[in-house]
Amino acid sequence: MGSQQQIAFFLRELEDGDAWRRAAAAKGLGRIGRDEHAWVLVGSAHDPAAEVREAVAGGVGRLDVAEAGHTVLPGLMDDEDPWVRRRASRSAILLGLDGPAVVDAFSRLLRDPDHHLRINALDGLRALGVPGDARALVALLGDPDGAVWGRARSLVYEFRKDPAVRTELVRTAEQGAPDARVQALELLPKHWTERILDSLVTGLRDESPQVRRTVARRLADEEDMRSQDALVEALETEQDADAAELALRLLAGRGDERVTGPAIRWLGDATAGSSAASALGAVGTRAAAHALRTAVTDGALPGRTRANAAKAIGQAGRWDAAWLLLPLLDDPDGGVRAGAVEGLDALVTEGLRLWERHSVARALVAHLAADPNTVWQTHNALIGLAEALPGLRRIVDRTPSADVRAAALSLLDTHNATDEDTEHDLARFVRALDDPDETVRHHAAEGLAHWVVTTGVRPQDEQRLRARLTDLAADASQAETRAVVDEALRALDGCGRFSA
């Protein structure tokens, strides 16, 4: 049967067939019909059978006659049957229909109970470049379907400067349903915080923990006492661990003594405990210090909490901090060991007492060699600790670990060494230029450059050393290593005097 005969058959079926045959005829016309048949389909748009109206909507879209689409599709987008509305809305997008009637139809679909239709509405409005009904659009920020609220968020962001959208966004941020309120708060620019401050303060007492967390994040950069007072007050009664953790983290850097009680209460919580420890360290009250001393030795507490407590003790720098932290370097929990290293790093940076320096140096050198998980953290804690140099030299000579050897090499400091030590250090750097590990070779070249600049002495057999450095630059896989080698060669060029 040729196409003409097929079309004639479909036209007869559309007039005389039963519902399923009329639907099949409408689909057929949509596939092989001509422009004029789009208008035939328009005549069947009010067919009593939903399956026929659905086929009409799809057929009009496929025949690509925009005028016919404008005539019938906006009405079908309001059809009582969701499948008809789906097909009509997709055809309207396919045809690129525009105009007030189409925008209104898509806007009404924003409230449709069928999530597929809400998606179609958002896709259609985006294609038209308009936000549609601002209230319905912003309300979709709280839609339970991720494909819906994700599209809605994108469209709201695109039209956030539209007066109607902006007004609705503010209203939702202040008093919307929880999920929509969270999204609205995240979309509002930071400079709007002052305008909605009253609602943010009351939002810290909202029934939804998610709203409380979002409001707290919104207030994080506000330095006025009203915001801080509201955060502290909310923390006093907070029952949600995630919300408490956020509030403690935000307040940790503000040193507000009122945080002490809530922080102690949350120390034992797996979620909020680590932030509670940090907050206690920032507060620095006697009660906070006592709680931290207890926490670091309490094996029942989560490791993260004890680790942060150790770090906080070091940062607070109280008289007994070093003696509390040193035993923790042997703790079975790796996180606690790392926290102790960070705490000791803070103490070294601030300046250890004379009677603490040797004990801390010995312990950190031993830890550098013993704990492969904290090598570079321990390295950082050892910077500037001259009492560690003898132990570091022994590590360079004896350790089988390339990572530890590299870290120890980078800490050798000729400013705090005897002439004999500096000569031995030079030999260590030169030997390490042939190490199998590139990180070790990198730090050897770096140490060599530092040695030459610091001592002002040209090494013996300089030409052979230059050749080794040149080979190292050629073989290095990292640009940083090649740069360090260049630095060493420049140091040799700029050296001021010759050794014997």
Side-chain angles (χ1 to χ4, degrees):
M1 182 185 295
S3 60
Q4 292 294 339
Q5 290 86 355
Q6 285 182 306
I7 289 173
F9 173 75
F10 291 147
L11 290 172
R12 289 194 301 272
E13 290 290 285
L14 197 59
E15 290 290 333
D16 302 325
D18 60 24
W20 285 106
R21 290 163 65 188
R22 295 197 305 276
K27 291 177 182 178
L29 281 177
R31 285 194 299 270
I32 67 172
R34 297 183 295 273
D35 287 0
E36 63 267 23
H37 297 120
W39 295 101
V40 174
L41 293 175
V42 167
S44 296
H46 299 290
D47 194 285
E51 56 266 37
V52 176
R53 300 194 300 275
E54 180 188 354
V56 166
V60 169
R62 282 192 292 270
L63 289 174
D64 198 22
V65 180
E67 296 83 354
H70 272 296
T71 300
V72 72
L73 291 177
L76 290 176
M77 288 164 70
D78 283 329
D79 196 274
E80 63 182 16
D81 187 278
W83 288 95
V84 177
R85 299 196 298 274
R86 283 193 199 182
R87 188 69 66 184
S89 56
R90 294 312 303 175
S91 290
I93 295 171
L94 181 66
L95 289 172
L97 300 186
D98 58 10
V102 177
V103 172
D104 289 346
F106 279 129
S107 293
R108 288 189 293 273
L109 290 180
L110 290 172
R111 295 185 171 89
D112 200 282
D114 186 322
H115 77 278
H116 294 288
L117 282 157
R118 299 195 296 276
I119 290 173
N120 289 355
L122 291 162
D123 289 346
L125 291 170
R126 176 176 288 284
L128 291 170
V130 295
D133 183 329
R135 175 161 288 200
L137 171 62
V138 175
L140 290 183
L141 293 174
D143 197 277
D145 188 282
V148 175
W149 69 255
R151 284 173 166 82
R153 182 184 172 102
S154 177
L155 199 58
V156 169
Y157 181 80
E158 184 176 340
F159 291 100
R160 64 194 182 282
K161 295 182 180 178
D162 180 278
V165 173
R166 186 174 57 201
T167 298
E168 190 57 33
L169 195 59
V170 171
R171 188 196 69 79
T172 304
E174 292 181 322
Q175 55 187 348
D179 289 343
R181 188 177 184 185
V182 167
Q183 295 286 344
L185 284 166
E186 291 178 350
L187 283 168
L188 275 180
K190 287 291 185 184
H191 65 267
W192 283 70
T193 297
E194 183 63 31
R195 174 174 171 176
I196 63 171
L197 187 57
D198 288 344
S199 67
L200 291 175
V201 169
T202 58
L204 289 171
R205 298 188 295 274
D206 194 273
E207 291 184 359
S208 166
Q210 190 177 8
V211 170
R212 298 199 299 273
R213 292 194 295 268
T214 306
V215 168
R217 279 191 290 269
R218 186 85 193 195
L219 291 172
D221 298 329
E222 297 301 305
E223 298 181 356
D224 61 291
M225 283 306 299
R226 184 184 176 195
S227 298
Q228 184 161 328
D229 290 345
L231 283 168
V232 172
E233 182 182 345
L235 183 59
E236 290 281 356
T237 57
E238 185 58 68
Q239 299 298 314
D240 179 74
D242 289 319
E245 187 277 332
L246 177 60
L248 286 163
R249 181 153 39 89
L250 294 176
L251 290 166
R254 303 191 182 187
D256 193 316
E257 293 186 5
R258 294 174 294 175
V259 175
T260 304
I264 292 173
R265 189 174 72 248
W266 283 101
L267 263 179
D269 185 82
T271 298
S274 58
S275 293
S278 298
L280 289 170
V283 168
T285 62
R286 186 172 297 178
H290 176 73
L292 290 173
R293 288 191 192 98
T294 303
V296 290
T297 57
D298 185 353
L301 289 178
R304 285 183 58 214
T305 300
R306 295 177 61 221
N308 264 21
K311 180 180 176 181
I313 285 173
Q315 290 170 338
R318 298 177 75 91
W319 68 270
D320 57 350
W323 314 118
L324 287 168
L325 295 176
L326 289 176
L328 298 179
L329 293 175
D330 297 320
D331 196 274
D333 188 300
V336 175
R337 297 195 299 272
V341 170
E342 287 192 75
L344 290 167
D345 188 2
L347 289 175
V348 173
T349 301
E350 291 300 315
L352 290 167
R353 298 168 181 85
L354 184 61
W355 55 88
E356 296 172 335
R357 295 182 66 86
H358 283 285
S359 297
V360 171
R362 282 196 300 270
L364 285 174
V365 168
H367 192 69
L368 178 69
D371 191 345
N373 296 315
T374 59
V375 168
W376 291 101
Q377 283 178 286
T378 309
H379 162 277
N380 294 340
L382 283 162
I383 293 173
L385 197 54
E387 290 80 358
L389 287 170
L392 291 171
R393 292 185 173 101
R394 287 192 294 273
I395 285 179
V396 172
D397 296 339
R398 301 173 186 175
T399 182
S401 167
D403 213 24
V404 173
R405 191 160 56 252
L409 269 173
S410 72
L411 288 164
L412 298 185
D413 185 356
T414 54
H415 282 301
N416 295 287
T418 65
D419 289 343
E420 183 179 355
D421 284 334
T422 61
E423 289 299 326
H424 288 306
D425 286 347
L426 174 61
R428 290 182 177 94
F429 294 137
V430 172
R431 284 197 303 272
L433 290 175
D434 295 323
D435 196 278
D437 187 271
E438 183 168 333
T439 302
V440 176
R441 297 196 298 273
H442 173 105
H443 287 289
E446 191 172 49
L448 177 64
H450 180 71
W451 187 94
V452 172
V453 170
T454 303
T455 65
V457 176
R458 287 190 186 277
Q460 293 180 354
D461 203 0
E462 179 192 343
Q463 292 307 314
R464 182 168 175 270
L465 183 56
R466 284 180 179 275
R468 292 171 74 178
L469 287 169
T470 303
D471 290 343
L472 173 57
D475 293 339
S477 61
Q478 300 294 324
E480 293 85 353
T481 302
R482 293 191 291 273
V484 165
V485 171
D486 288 342
E487 181 184 347
L489 290 169
R490 286 195 300 271
L492 288 170
D493 291 337
C495 188
R497 62 189 177 87
F498 290 84
S499 60

